[in-house]
Amino acid sequence: MEFINNKVKICVVGAGNIGSAMALGLVRSGVHVSVYNRSEGRLKAFAGIAGLVCSTSLPEALSGCDIALICVEGDAVLPIARNMATLPGRKPALVGSCAAAISLAELSEALTGDEGERPAVFRLLPNIAATVGRSANLLCGSGVGADCLAELKKLFSCTGTTVEVPERLFPAAMALSSCGIAYALRYVRANMLAGVQMGLSPQTARELATAVLAGTSKLLEVDSAHPEELIDRVTTPGGITIRGLNAMEEGGFSAAVVSGLNSTVKK
């Protein structure tokens, strides 16, 4: 598939939080988007947006599209895919799923038509930060060339950072990208608790913790130094930062983070 000047047409299947975030991010980046949802209620939010059309008819929404991105709940993905396989006429050459538990093989099998034809497939796993354009997306594909995957990474950068990861490593990557949102929020909550204990208001503590996370993220984006090297830049001999770091490590901070991440991939 060729990606020329954002002229690919994408159908986003499902207008929930993730589907809406994907549709809005794509259309704002200049891509022509159609959105399918089985009921009209969620589609009202897209009224009047140039370059975006909505439909409660799946065949209508898919008409003329090059890529379909399925953004429904996990248990609805395969039924949608099987329905797509039975539709007459031209079908999207590339179909992706945003469901965490649906493998490439399962998606491909569900999309196989009566004569054995099937589209290339990919998995795109965003996190909830896609709703604010700062997701950490995971990407892999089957029947998709390296050039096409590279273009997909660019295409979905409208919702955040997209990282190509082998499917076998998706559970580990999800621990960092999807579950990581909750872990980062728990860190912010801990900051608020400490801030209140030291006399700050909860709102002030939250604002400071949020700003620190945002600043740290930007610093890591523009500076390739190892995180430990960056830590060294803000610690001084006998200073308060190193005392705080040592106290956190005595409390098992790093070990707790590693244990929490590992526990998400244990079967």
Side-chain angles (χ1 to χ4, degrees), residues 4 52 111 187 195 249:
I4 304 174
L52 191 153
L111 289 163
Y187 172 78
E249 290 305 323

Side-chain angles (χ1 to χ4, degrees), residues 51-128:
L52 191 153
V53 296
C54 300
S55 179
T56 54
S57 164
L58 183 58
E60 181 179 274
L62 290 169
S63 178
C65 286
D66 306 294
I67 301 172
L69 182 62
I70 303 175
C71 299
V72 296
E73 295 292 333
D75 59 357
V77 172
L78 296 182
I80 286 281
R82 295 188 188 103
N83 187 11
M84 289 172 60
T86 66
L87 297 177
R90 175 182 177 274
K91 299 181 179 68
L94 189 57
V95 178
S97 164
C98 288
I102 305 299
S103 70
L104 291 171
E106 291 173 314
L107 182 61
S108 182
E109 181 180 358
L111 289 163
T112 302
D114 292 337
E115 299 181 2
E117 76 281 3
R118 65 181 69 184
V121 295
F122 66 94
R123 293 176 66 185
L124 180 78
L125 294 189
N127 62 31
I128 194 174

Side-chain angles (χ1 to χ4, degrees), residues 25-219:
L26 289 164
V27 77
R28 287 167 183 163
S29 66
V31 178
H32 179 81
V33 179
S34 64
V35 180
Y36 162 77
N37 201 67
R38 62 183 180 181
S39 60
E40 293 184 359
R42 291 182 179 271
L43 298 178
K44 293 178 181 179
F46 302 115
I49 298 177
L52 191 153
V53 296
C54 300
S55 179
T56 54
S57 164
L58 183 58
E60 181 179 274
L62 290 169
S63 178
C65 286
D66 306 294
I67 301 172
L69 182 62
I70 303 175
C71 299
V72 296
E73 295 292 333
D75 59 357
V77 172
L78 296 182
I80 286 281
R82 295 188 188 103
N83 187 11
M84 289 172 60
T86 66
L87 297 177
R90 175 182 177 274
K91 299 181 179 68
L94 189 57
V95 178
S97 164
C98 288
I102 305 299
S103 70
L104 291 171
E106 291 173 314
L107 182 61
S108 182
E109 181 180 358
L111 289 163
T112 302
D114 292 337
E115 299 181 2
E117 76 281 3
R118 65 181 69 184
V121 295
F122 66 94
R123 293 176 66 185
L124 180 78
L125 294 189
N127 62 31
I128 194 174
T131 58
V132 292
R134 297 290 292 180
S135 178
N137 302 322
L138 309 180
L139 175 68
C140 69
S142 176
V144 182
D147 290 344
C148 185
L149 279 174
E151 292 296 336
L152 286 173
K153 286 177 66 175
K154 292 180 185 177
L155 190 64
F156 294 116
S157 66
C158 61
T159 59
T161 299
T162 301
V163 179
E164 187 179 344
V165 179
E167 186 175 34
R168 64 183 177 82
L169 293 177
F170 260 41
M174 286 170 58
L176 275 67
S177 63
S178 299
C179 304
I181 288 280
Y183 304 150
L185 289 170
R186 181 57 59 88
Y187 172 78
V188 172
R189 175 58 177 155
N191 270 255
M192 292 172 65
L193 291 172
V196 170
Q197 184 175 350
M198 293 184 289
L200 298 173
S201 71
Q203 183 59 33
T204 297
R206 172 179 165 146
E207 288 177 5
L208 290 172
T210 301
V212 166
L213 284 179
T216 303
S217 175
K218 189 64 179 179
L219 187 61

